[in-house]
Amino acid sequence: QITLGRATKDNQIDVDLALEGPAWKISRKQGVIKLKNNGDFFIANEGRRPIYIDGRPVLGGNKWKLNNNSVVEVGP
């Protein structure tokens, strides 16, 4: 699994979105991408703000199947 979010001194993650620009609206643990046994990838939104997959919002607490070439947008 791969964790997306905003790294802090006490919170290490795999993909630090703060390195891409202003990240004050991104949760420390915004989302997690997991590979299932059948080969499918899913993203789970663990933050308060939506993650957009191919332009569709995935709200906090929900997950979405990622397709080949899916566009994932996090933040404003």
Side-chain angles (χ1 to χ4, degrees):
Q1 77 179 24
I2 298 171
T3 306
L4 312 170
R6 179 172 40 91
T8 63
K9 180 176 66 171
D10 301 324
N11 183 49
Q12 297 302 312
I13 55 165
D14 299 310
V15 179
D16 186 359
L17 298 172
L19 300 175
E20 297 296 320
W24 60 275
K25 290 187 176 183
I26 296 173
S27 297
R28 285 183 289 276
K29 188 173 181 184
Q30 182 67 52
V32 177
I33 298 174
K34 292 183 180 181
L35 174 62
K36 299 294 184 179
N37 290 337
N38 64 1
D40 290 338
F41 285 93
F42 281 84
I43 187 167
N45 185 348
E46 297 189 2
R48 292 183 301 185
R49 298 183 185 272
I51 294 175
Y52 292 88
I53 310 298
D54 298 324
R56 296 183 182 144
V58 177
L59 303 177
N62 292 301
K63 65 181 179 179
W64 194 268
K65 181 179 181 250
L66 296 173
N67 296 312
N68 189 30
N69 294 320
S70 285
V71 176
V72 178
E73 297 175 84
V74 181

